[in-house]
Amino acid sequence: LRLREGIERNQEIMLMTAHQAVRKLEQEIEELHSTLNSPPYDQRMIAGESNTGAELQFRLQCESALRRHCVQLQQRLVIAEQDRDIRADAYREARREREILDTLCEDEWQRYRCEQSRREQQDADDLYLWRMRARPPVTNDVRRYGSRSSVLPRTISKRKH
């Protein structure tokens, strides 16, 4: 059971790591989009604030590089999401196996307790029966003493006389 718990914990940690990687890539893509779509960047490009063609070409190359980087990040994001989904499946499987084993252990423990209780009751019953057999019989034999009520008074009446 401890082994299964350890495996489940490792899978959970790997899933959390994969989820963090996906979230980090999503944030990078968001930041990149916000940079590309920010008003100051677009306005400078449209207004042509650059005095030289070299500056304009540099800005276009930077934008192109940022867009390529954005595409690469999106591709990495798809791979990271697939990895996260695989790790989520592995975690669910590890958790399911641990829960099955936990349930089996719990059932086995309940069977053991029930069997133990039955044995204790059987021992108590056997002890009672053994004591009852070892005890001298109670003399309530009507043929021997007459009636039940006559046993005690007869012994008392003999002492008085």
Side-chain angles (χ1 to χ4, degrees):
L1 183 60
R2 287 190 180 117
L3 174 66
R4 294 292 178 188
E5 288 172 346
I7 291 171
E8 179 185 3
R9 181 68 182 142
N10 286 340
Q11 292 296 333
E12 183 180 17
I13 290 169
M14 291 170 52
L15 175 60
M16 289 175 12
T17 303
H19 184 69
Q20 288 172 349
V22 166
R23 187 64 195 135
K24 182 181 176 186
L25 285 170
E26 288 173 342
Q27 287 175 343
E28 286 181 35
I29 291 171
E30 287 174 20
E31 289 173 6
L32 196 56
H33 279 291
S34 68
T35 301
L36 286 172
N37 297 328
S38 66
Y41 189 78
D42 290 340
Q43 288 174 357
R44 283 183 291 195
M45 291 295 288
I46 293 172
E49 285 182 17
S50 303
N51 292 335
T52 65
E55 289 178 341
L56 182 58
Q57 187 174 1
F58 176 73
R59 287 185 185 185
L60 288 174
Q61 286 178 349
C62 285
E63 181 182 354
S64 175
L66 288 175
R67 294 197 188 282
R68 281 194 308 271
H69 185 62
C70 185
V71 169
Q72 290 172 349
L73 286 176
Q74 288 174 339
Q75 290 171 348
R76 287 177 41 202
L77 177 63
V78 168
I79 292 169
E81 287 173 339
Q82 290 172 347
D83 182 51
R84 180 192 60 192
D85 293 344
I86 290 169
R87 291 180 191 273
D89 290 341
Y91 170 71
R92 279 191 292 272
E93 181 66 23
R95 182 178 179 94
R96 186 183 66 79
E97 288 177 5
R98 195 252 327 139
E99 286 175 347
I100 288 171
L101 189 59
D102 191 34
T103 301
L104 288 174
C105 287
E106 189 65 33
D107 290 348
E108 187 65 28
W109 175 250
Q110 290 299 328
R111 277 194 293 275
Y112 170 78
R113 289 299 304 147
C114 184
E115 183 65 25
Q116 185 70 18
S117 177
R118 189 190 65 74
R119 274 193 229 115
E120 289 172 1
Q121 185 62 47
Q122 182 70 38
D123 290 347
D125 292 347
D126 289 345
L127 180 62
Y128 174 77
L129 292 174
W130 180 77
R131 284 183 177 172
M132 291 304 292
R133 284 185 208 132
R135 217 172 175 193
V138 177
T139 55
N140 284 337
D141 192 1
V142 176
R143 290 176 288 156
R144 187 172 181 190
Y145 297 106
S147 70
R148 285 188 200 174
S149 60
S150 66
V151 173
L152 187 58
R154 201 183 285 168
T155 55
I156 294 175
S157 64
K158 288 181 183 178
R159 290 185 191 162
K160 287 183 181 179
H161 293 302

